[in-house]
Structure formats: structure tokens, C-alpha cells
């Protein structure tokens, strides 16, 4: 994965609470191969009317936000089912960071495993960023755990191990391999201290 350090980009304000994974990508689209790209299915039933035309008042359909790489939403983003396709839809659309006061646990974990930063802010800071997102690009600094909107700077929270993985572009295997020397040292020392643990052939 591409390491995530800092990102300055247009943000799209989504002033909604409880955007769940079924809204992020309706289940009927998950039969499609990932190779087609899931970006066009992102928030499909909110973005597209029943007659197939874009819903004029949905923020992502606003020309100002069509190139957005950051979403700012209210609490409960990514709740519901554990479908990883919800993250695929965000990533394939071009979103690299979602800012919200809270996230579905599994969705946030899936996001990190796909290089997408779930930045958790206070409710008050989410409202500040929702108000500023249309007027100025946001700069997300993962090292400093800050988000800048013009002169306004707010802090965000993320699990330390997720922060390490995103900064280095690591998946779970990469993270384990980063401890390879320590694991080898432990195995060697443990084998010397407890030789009886080694498997032996009977007889």
C-alpha cells in the first residue's frame, strides 16, 4: 500500500449521521468483480435517483466536490454489515480519508487495511470541518494527527497500530514481519531455556 503521511485535498461535507455500509455500497453491486472498480457504486442509492439521474442536492454530485479525496461526516460512519466492499467503493472513488466523530469498528479496521485513514474527531470539530470543507482544502497530517482548514487546526484520534500501518503502507503481514528479528530472538532464547518444548520422535 502507499504510505499515508500528509494529504492536502478538497473535502466533501456529508452532513449525515449513521451512514452505514449498505448505503456506502448496496449489496446488489457486490456481485460485480472488483476489477471493474466499485467507485461508481459509492453511495449509489443516495447519489442516484430511481430514474437513473444524479440527485441534484447530494453533496458528491456537486461539481465542487467531484474530485474530493476527503469526506467529512457526522457520527456512526460505516456501521452495519462487515462488508469490505464498502471500503473498496470509497478507495476506488478516490477517497483517502474519512473524518467523523465515530466509525463502525470493523469498517474502520477494513479501511486501514486498504490504506484509507479513518480520522476520529470530536462532534464539535466535525461540525467545524463540515462548515469549512466547501471553502478551503483540508490538510490531514497523520504524523501530527491534525487536520488544518485554513487557520483552523483540529486534532484527530486513531489507534496507534493503525497509525503505524498507514504511515508505513503496511498490511498485517508487513506489520508482523517488522518484528521478525524480535520473534527470531525470542524463539532462539526460548528454545535454549526450554529444550523440552522441542518436538521429539517417539521411540
Amino acid at each position: 500500500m502507499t504510505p499515508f503521511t500528509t494529504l492536502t485535498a478538497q473535502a466533501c461535507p456529508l452532513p449525515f449521521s449513521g451512514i452505514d455500509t449498505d448505503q456506502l455500497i448496496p449489496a446488489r453491486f457486490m456481485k460485480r468483480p472488483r476489477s471493474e472498480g466499485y467507485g461508481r457504486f459509492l453511495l449509489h442509492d443516495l447519489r442516484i435517483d430511481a430514474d437513473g439521474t444524479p440527485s441534484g442536492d447530494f453533496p458528491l454530485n456537486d461539481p465542487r466536490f467531484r474530485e474530493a479525496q476527503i469526506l467529512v461526516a457526522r457520527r456512526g460512519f460505516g456501521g452495519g454489515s462487515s462488508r469490505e466492499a464498502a471500503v473498496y467503493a470509497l478507495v476506488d472513488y478516490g477517497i483517502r480519508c474519512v473524518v467523523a466523530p465515530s466509525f463502525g469498528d470493523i469498517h474502520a479496521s477494513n479501511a486501514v487495511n486498504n490504506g484509507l485513514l479513518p480520522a476520529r474527531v470530536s462532534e464539535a470539530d466535525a461540525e467545524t470541518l463540515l462548515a469549512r470543507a466547501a471553502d478551503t482544502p483540508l490538510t490531514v497530517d497523520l504524523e501530527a494527527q491534525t487536520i488544518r482548514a485554513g487557520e483552523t487546526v483540529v486534532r484527530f484520534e486513531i489507534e496507534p497500530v493503525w497509525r503505524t500501518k498507514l504511515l508505513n503502507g503496511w498490511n498485517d503481514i508487513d506489520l508482523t514481519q517488522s518484528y521478525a528479528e524480535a520473534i527470531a530472538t525470542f524463539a532462539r532464547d526460548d528454545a535454549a531455556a526450554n529444550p523440552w518444548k522441542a518436538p521429539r520422535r517417539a521411540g
Side-chain angles (χ1 to χ4, degrees):
M1 293 188 295
T2 302
F4 189 117
T5 51
T6 61
L7 170 66
T8 298
Q10 178 64 55
C12 177
L14 290 179
F16 311 113
S17 300
I19 295 176
D20 62 29
T21 53
D22 191 48
Q23 291 171 312
L24 288 170
I25 182 166
R28 64 185 183 278
F29 296 122
M30 294 165 56
K31 298 175 183 176
R32 306 288 189 94
R34 174 78 191 283
S35 58
E36 289 185 5
Y38 281 8
R40 59 195 167 117
F41 307 131
L42 176 66
L43 294 163
H44 183 278
D45 292 352
L46 297 175
R47 285 197 298 130
I48 309 297
D49 289 336
D51 62 1
T53 59
S55 175
D57 59 355
F58 192 74
L60 273 179
N61 292 333
D62 186 323
R64 294 175 298 168
F65 307 131
R66 284 181 181 160
E67 302 299 322
Q69 297 182 58
I70 302 169
L71 296 181
V72 183
R74 292 188 170 129
R75 65 169 40 244
F77 190 93
S81 80
S82 61
R83 64 188 68 171
E84 193 166 11
V87 174
Y88 298 161
L90 287 160
V91 171
D92 290 354
Y93 189 88
I95 303 300
R96 298 196 60 209
C97 174
V98 178
V99 182
S102 61
F103 293 87
D105 289 341
I106 296 175
H107 177 75
S109 178
N110 287 339
V112 171
N113 286 331
N114 286 277
L116 174 67
L117 169 60
R120 193 171 65 248
V121 298
S122 69
E123 303 254 10
D125 287 341
E127 295 304 318
T128 297
L129 295 174
L130 281 167
R132 298 296 310 277
D135 302 326
T136 184
L138 302 187
T139 295
V140 181
D141 186 332
L142 179 54
E143 187 77 50
Q145 292 185 221
T146 59
I147 302 170
R148 175 181 293 277
E151 298 302 314
T152 301
V153 179
V154 305
R155 284 192 55 78
F156 68 87
E157 302 296 327
I158 184 171
E159 299 298 326
V161 69
W162 291 355
R163 177 173 175 271
T164 297
K165 290 170 67 176
L166 287 167
L167 283 172
N168 290 282
W170 287 347
N171 59 26
D172 287 334
I173 294 174
D174 296 325
L175 180 65
T176 301
Q177 288 179 332
S178 74
Y179 295 101
E181 185 174 340
I183 293 170
T185 298
F186 173 83
R188 185 175 60 251
D189 293 348
D190 186 60
N194 303 288
W196 54 270
K197 287 184 178 178
R200 298 177 184 278
R201 186 183 299 275

